[in-house]
Amino acid sequence: MRIAAVAIALLVAQWVDTRMQVAGLQQELARRLADGDSVAKEGRALARQSQEALAALQAKVGVLEAKLAETQSQAVALEAMYQELSSSRDERLLAEVEQAVVLAMQQLQFAGNVEAALIALQGADARLARSVQPQFLPVRKLIARDIERLKGTPGANISGLSLKIESVVAAVDSLPLAYEQRPRAETAKPAAAARPVSVDYWRQLGADLWREFRQLVRIERIDHGDPALLAPNQSFFLRENLKLRLLNARLALLQRDGKVFHEEIRQSREQLDRYFDGRAKPVQAAQSTLKVLATTDVSFDLPGLAETLTALRNLKFARERGAGAAR
């Protein structure tokens, strides 16, 4: 009995111990299961974050790919534009040079302005000099020849001569007429130094009276026989007639008609001498300008630029035809 009781006690103790171990194992298992759940939740959260980050990265990659494709298309377009510009650069250069030569021809034909023509030709030569194309050398030689010919043209400043005539025309209305001139005022003599009281007072008074009496009558020399007397309306037509003569002279200058130019200048000078006050400074200035114009040769021939323009257009046409055949 006693042995059986001890065995039962041992069995009960072992069962209790086993139960305690099983309970501990259950608690440990529950704890580990809870830890596993938390880890799983964290894993799922990390996986979700990773998926979101991956989606964002994929979206960014898509945007970058779109931008790369756009950049590549722009690069292709720019390359095509560059090729087109490179192919048409010479054509544009020839067009600019042709325009400069045409401008120089217009300045020579219509205004006789050699300086403006030289500036245009020098600009055209500078544009061609920046290009190293050997086919431009014949045109450059022709332009250089024209520049030297224009530089050697004597008295070709038609624009300057035209401005001189215009200055006289602008001053005609203010020029004083000869019949309006006034006698020259005598310069006042310096006051006599104080004389001693012993000088005869009446003799001095008589001298002063005689000097004042002489001022009442004045005799003056006039270069012309008699200055023309003109009514106000005649004065107006006289000035207008003088303007017309000067404008005719300027027109003859532009036409390089030396005979008509010098005749109009001569008659204008005669009108100034006959009807206007030669002592007035404006009249003297106008006479001086007309004197210079009267000695100027305006019947010179300016060099033409037709040969240069023809060569330039032939070169341009040949290049355009070659470009069309290449296409």
Side-chain angles (χ1 to χ4, degrees):
M1 286 293 292
R2 218 171 148 179
I3 295 172
V6 171
I8 292 172
L10 289 173
L11 289 174
V12 172
Q14 187 177 3
W15 179 80
V16 171
D17 183 57
T18 303
R19 292 285 298 177
M20 291 178 64
Q21 289 181 358
V22 170
L25 288 174
Q26 289 178 348
Q27 291 178 358
E28 181 67 21
L29 180 60
R31 185 181 62 79
R32 291 188 177 184
L33 288 175
D35 292 341
D37 290 339
S38 64
V39 170
K41 289 180 180 179
E42 292 179 359
R44 286 194 296 269
L46 291 175
R48 185 166 54 253
Q49 292 177 358
S50 299
Q51 291 177 354
E52 292 177 354
L54 180 60
L57 289 175
Q58 289 177 348
K60 291 183 179 179
V61 170
V63 172
L64 291 176
E65 289 178 350
K67 289 185 177 180
L68 178 61
E70 183 180 358
T71 303
Q72 290 177 347
S73 63
Q74 290 178 353
V76 172
L78 288 175
E79 182 67 21
M81 290 176 61
Y82 176 77
Q83 294 296 335
E84 183 179 357
L85 291 175
S86 299
S87 62
S88 61
R89 179 178 56 189
D90 293 340
E91 284 76 5
R92 290 200 315 276
L93 175 62
L94 290 176
E96 292 175 357
V97 173
E98 180 184 5
Q99 185 178 3
V101 174
V102 171
L103 177 62
M105 290 185 64
Q106 292 175 350
Q107 291 294 328
L108 292 176
Q109 292 177 357
F110 301 112
N113 194 339
V114 177
E115 295 180 359
L118 277 174
I119 292 173
L121 290 179
Q122 289 171 351
D125 185 64
R127 291 187 181 93
L128 291 176
R130 288 194 292 268
S131 177
V132 294
Q133 299 293 337
Q135 59 267 28
F136 293 160
L137 291 178
V139 177
R140 287 196 62 193
K141 290 181 180 180
L142 291 176
I143 292 177
R145 183 201 63 182
D146 294 334
I147 290 175
E148 293 300 324
R149 289 167 61 186
L150 289 178
K151 287 182 177 178
T153 303
N157 187 13
I158 293 182
S159 60
L161 299 176
S162 180
L163 288 176
K164 289 183 179 180
I165 296 176
E166 186 64 28
S167 65
V168 178
V169 172
V172 167
D173 290 332
S174 61
L175 297 180
L177 295 172
Y179 74 88
E180 297 174 344
Q181 64 182 348
R182 298 291 183 267
R184 295 181 180 179
E186 294 185 357
T187 56
K189 296 182 179 179
R195 297 183 179 181
V197 181
S198 58
V199 177
D200 188 359
Y201 171 76
W202 295 105
R203 182 181 298 176
Q204 181 64 30
L205 180 60
D208 293 339
L209 291 175
W210 174 248
R211 185 166 56 252
E212 293 296 332
F213 177 75
R214 289 177 56 187
Q215 295 295 327
L216 299 178
V217 179
R218 182 175 299 177
I219 300 175
E220 187 170 335
R221 177 181 174 180
I222 299 177
D223 294 335
H224 301 293
D226 51 343
L229 298 178
L230 300 173
N233 58 343
Q234 292 177 333
S235 301
F236 170 77
F237 289 114
L238 170 66
R239 296 181 191 275
E240 294 300 317
N241 181 264
L242 180 57
K243 290 180 184 179
L244 287 176
R245 289 196 178 279
L246 293 173
L247 293 177
N248 288 336
R250 187 173 66 175
L251 181 60
L253 172 66
L254 296 178
Q255 295 175 348
R256 290 185 284 281
D257 189 346
K259 182 177 180 181
V260 175
F261 174 78
H262 289 102
E263 178 62 21
E264 295 293 342
I265 294 296
R266 184 188 65 80
Q267 294 189 16
S268 299
R269 295 181 65 189
E270 289 181 356
Q271 285 188 354
L272 283 177
D273 287 336
R274 178 172 177 77
Y275 296 103
F276 293 87
D277 186 4
R279 299 181 310 178
K281 289 185 178 181
V283 178
Q284 294 175 359
Q287 282 285 22
S288 177
T289 302
L290 293 181
K291 183 178 180 181
V292 173
L293 293 173
T295 59
T296 303
D297 183 15
V298 299
S299 59
F300 50 82
D301 293 327
L302 294 175
L305 305 178
E307 183 180 358
T308 302
L309 185 60
T310 301
L312 185 61
R313 288 178 174 173
N314 290 336
L315 178 60
K316 182 180 177 182
F317 177 73
R319 291 184 63 86
E320 290 178 352
R321 184 172 57 184
R327 294 175 184 176

